[in-house]
Amino acid sequence: MGNIGDNLQLNPKETIRKNIIRKKPILDREPQYFKGIPLPSWIELSLIDSCNRACTFCPRVDENIAPNTNHKMERVLVDKLYKDLNDIGFNGAFSICGYGEPLLYKDLEYLTNKLGQLGQIEIVTNGDPLNEKKIEKIYQSKVSQLVISLYDGPEQIILFNDMMKKANIPENFITLRDRWYDPTLDYGVKLTNRTGTVSVGNQPETTNYKKRICFYTSYQIMIDWDGNTYLCPQDWQRRVSLGNIMQKTFFEIWNGQMMKKYRKKLINGNRDLSPCKNCNADGQVYGENHYNAFKKIL
């Protein structure tokens, strides 16, 4: 197998396809149940409300919508989440991404080693804070995959390839995503409007998705730095909180009336509630097994 960086002429659509294939076995596993209710296979955490970049296709580009507040998740919330998930036997996976750059979070080692006792952890980063020492420390923790989005150019492939070699990190621990492209290639990302928050690029009309079934609420949930939970990572304006982890247990939120209301709507192809009515996300990339499981009991 060649080294990453041997061939700098990458195909952004192929990168997206390979990443979807890599994640499918994790997100589309057979559902785990608690009290007859399918549990999520994927929990996304937003650890810090800041990013060192402001990409054109990201809501962070507009400070009126997504200002850098530097708020961060505290250990007491991490411990509470761990207890809630441990109590229901959760053994799914975690995505450390959300609304900020996770490597700016100073307590990352504590969180990953704590939650890593329950399931796989994947970190998604722009790679800017990385160096040989830091990447080695992440590898030695309970993190299972480090996904680095490359926004500057193909020279970053060589940069991170060399960093991995010097730190003696196996190639399969890191996924590099080429995202330095111009609008004609959608910046190398799978563009969405983030529930009506951004309109950059060649995006499909929201009207085409009004009656499209969405799997998001069947297999995943988003938890913000303060414990507020949201339907999915598309809701960048945080319009609808399902409850707070510090005030309710995780399962009470996952199986709560608000989540049930949205889940039933989306499973039946009805996106008439906010923020879903403004969303143009596909909603069916992952989660079909969980969708089928919920469809039987709703």
Side-chain angles (χ1 to χ4, degrees):
M1 188 175 194
N3 291 324
I4 297 173
D6 286 349
N7 182 359
L8 300 184
Q9 300 303 315
L10 299 182
N11 182 334
K13 291 184 178 180
E14 181 65 11
T15 300
I16 293 171
R17 188 189 71 83
K18 287 181 178 179
N19 199 46
I20 290 173
I21 291 173
R22 178 186 66 82
K23 290 169 63 177
K24 277 275 188 182
I26 304 171
L27 279 69
D28 285 349
R29 51 180 281 182
E30 286 300 313
Q32 173 194 4
Y33 290 81
F34 181 75
K35 293 184 176 180
I37 303 299
L39 295 178
S41 58
W42 191 251
I43 298 176
E44 183 163 348
L45 302 176
S46 187
L47 306 183
I48 187 166
D49 198 30
S50 293
C51 187
N52 61 303
R53 289 189 178 236
C55 299
T56 304
F57 52 83
C58 176
R60 284 275 172 213
V61 76
D62 188 343
E63 292 185 359
N64 294 317
I65 293 176
N68 286 328
T69 67
N70 206 39
H71 292 312
K72 63 183 185 300
M73 189 174 288
E74 301 291 344
R75 285 192 180 188
V76 63
L77 196 155
V78 176
D79 293 343
K80 170 64 163 51
L81 178 61
Y82 171 84
K83 181 182 184 304
D84 286 355
L85 295 175
N86 190 53
D87 286 347
I88 62 176
F90 175 82
N91 63 3
F94 300 91
S95 172
I96 310 300
C97 184
Y99 308 120
E101 167 49 52
L103 296 189
L104 298 180
Y105 180 67
K106 303 302 183 184
D107 217 9
L108 188 62
E109 184 177 8
Y110 179 84
L111 179 140
T112 55
N113 285 333
K114 187 84 174 181
L115 298 183
Q117 299 175 52
L118 301 173
Q120 298 180 57
I121 294 181
E122 176 172 303
I123 296 177
V124 181
T125 174
N126 59 36
D128 292 345
L130 284 173
N131 53 42
E132 183 182 335
K133 183 177 180 180
K134 194 157 191 172
I135 205 169
E136 184 177 11
K137 191 174 184 179
I138 291 172
Y139 177 67
Q140 291 173 348
S141 71
K142 291 187 179 295
V143 175
S144 54
Q145 186 74 192
L146 184 63
V147 180
I148 306 175
S149 298
L150 311 178
Y151 297 116
D152 295 338
E155 66 277 4
Q156 288 184 290
I157 298 175
I158 297 175
L159 171 69
F160 288 110
N161 186 48
D162 289 344
M163 197 180 294
M164 281 189 288
K165 284 182 177 179
K166 290 177 181 177
N168 197 27
I169 304 299
E171 184 179 322
N172 62 4
F173 177 69
I174 293 180
T175 297
L176 298 182
R177 303 191 297 188
D178 46 324
R179 296 192 159 181
W180 56 76
Y181 303 99
D182 62 29
T184 62
L185 290 174
D186 290 338
Y187 307 96
V189 306
K190 192 172 179 64
L191 280 178
T192 67
N193 66 7
R194 301 297 189 179
T195 62
T197 306
V198 293
S199 58
V200 67
N202 183 27
Q203 298 203 36
E205 292 294 328
T206 305
T207 51
N208 298 336
Y209 291 80
K210 293 292 185 183
K211 296 183 179 181
R212 183 171 176 79
I213 291 170
C214 179
F215 299 161
Y216 267 120
T217 53
S218 297
Y219 77 93
Q220 64 79 58
I221 193 170
M222 162 73 80
I223 303 177
D224 207 358
W225 66 270
D226 58 357
N228 280 331
T229 56
Y230 298 97
L231 295 166
C232 73
Q234 302 296 333
D235 186 12
W236 258 80
Q237 294 194 48
R238 296 143 163 155
R239 294 180 180 92
V240 178
S241 174
L242 305 169
N244 191 285
I245 291 294
M246 297 305 295
Q247 298 169 350
K248 297 180 179 179
T249 67
F250 177 86
F251 187 71
E252 286 173 336
I253 294 171
W254 177 250
N255 195 41
Q257 291 305 311
M258 183 69 82
M259 183 60 123
K260 286 180 178 179
K261 176 182 177 180
Y262 276 87
R263 187 180 286 135
K264 187 172 183 178
K265 288 266 188 181
L266 294 173
I267 280 178
N268 288 307
N270 186 345
R271 299 191 183 190
D272 65 344
L273 295 178
S274 179
C276 307
K277 64 182 181 181
N278 298 314
C279 183
N280 65 359
D282 181 285
Q284 297 182 21
V285 178
Y286 307 107
E288 185 172 5
N289 286 335
H290 285 72
Y291 156 77
N292 287 329
F294 269 112
K295 195 173 181 181
K296 294 176 181 177
I297 62 176
L298 289 181

